[in-house]
Amino acid sequence: MRVLVAIILAFISTAALADSTGERKSGDRPPSATDVISGLYDFSRFQQGLLESTDLKGNAEVKNLAALRAEEAAKRDKALKQIQEAIGAEPRIGKTTSVSAGLLVEPETSDGPTYVRSFYASQIPEYESAIDLLERYLKAPDNAALATFAREQLPMLRAQVKDAGRTMADK
C-alpha cells in the first residue's frame, strides 16, 4: 500500500512541479535552447538530490546507483555549460531539488524495501520529463550543438528509465 501511495505522490508532485516551473506542454511551441538547458539542469539537481537522500536511508545498491547517476549528471552539466556559454543562454534557476526527491527523505515513514521501491519509482517521471523535453526540442532545434547533445543523451536516458522501471518491478 505504501508503494502505491509513493508512486501516486511521485506522479502528482511531478505534475505540480511541471506546472509551477512553466514547463511547456506538447501542444505549445517547441522548447528553446534555454528551456532545454534549464530543464536538464533541473534533472541533474534531481539526480543530485537522489544521492543526498540515499545517505539517509539507502542500501548499497541504491547508493551506488545514485552516485553513478550524480556523476553522469555532473558530466552532462559540464557539457551543457560549454554549450550555454557558446550561445549566451541564461537558464532559469529552478528549485534546488525536485519534489519527487523530497519524498525519499522521510526516514520515519519508510523502511528499507519501501525506500528502494520509492527510489526507483521517483526516477521514472523525472526521466520521462527529460526525454519528452529533448524529443520536443529535436522537432525544431534552434542550436546545432545542443541538438547534437540532445541526440547523444536520448538513448542513454531511455535505457536508464527502462532499467529503473524493470528494477522497480523486480523489487
Side-chain angles (χ1 to χ4, degrees):
M1 185 65 175
R2 287 186 200 173
V3 173
L4 182 59
V5 171
I7 292 170
I8 291 170
L9 287 174
F11 287 122
I12 291 170
S13 65
T14 301
L17 178 63
D19 289 344
S20 69
T21 60
E23 183 172 289
R24 303 284 180 217
K25 303 292 185 243
S26 52
D28 291 346
R29 69 168 176 76
S32 68
T34 302
D35 295 334
V36 171
I37 292 169
S38 297
L40 290 176
Y41 281 150
D42 289 343
F43 180 63
S44 292
R45 283 193 299 275
F46 168 78
Q47 290 182 306
Q48 293 290 339
L50 285 177
L51 179 59
E52 292 170 13
S53 75
T54 61
D55 288 340
L56 296 174
K57 201 67 175 165
N59 62 21
E61 173 190 356
V62 297
K63 286 180 182 183
N64 290 337
L65 181 62
L68 176 64
R69 296 297 182 247
E71 182 180 321
E72 291 166 351
K75 289 177 186 176
R76 183 176 51 245
D77 286 355
K78 186 176 180 180
L80 273 176
K81 185 70 172 172
Q82 292 174 347
I83 295 169
Q84 175 191 342
E85 289 173 353
I87 64 176
E90 282 297 322
R92 294 180 321 273
I93 304 297
K95 296 182 179 182
T96 56
T97 59
S98 169
V99 176
S100 298
L103 290 175
L104 300 175
V105 190
E106 299 294 334
E108 296 82 27
T109 60
S110 65
D111 57 11
T114 301
Y115 174 84
V116 171
R117 284 187 294 273
S118 67
F119 172 84
Y120 287 104
S122 70
Q123 294 178 60
I124 293 171
E126 297 293 332
Y127 271 99
E128 289 172 348
S129 178
I131 290 167
D132 179 61
L133 178 66
L134 294 177
E135 288 173 340
R136 288 186 296 115
Y137 178 72
L138 288 173
K139 289 179 182 175
D142 60 357
N143 180 275
L146 186 57
T148 299
F149 179 80
R151 283 186 201 95
E152 293 169 355
Q153 292 294 307
L154 273 172
M156 180 180 59
L157 294 176
R158 287 179 182 137
Q160 290 173 354
V161 74
K162 284 181 185 177
D163 288 345
R166 280 193 299 264
T167 304
M168 187 181 75
D170 290 344
K171 302 290 177 190

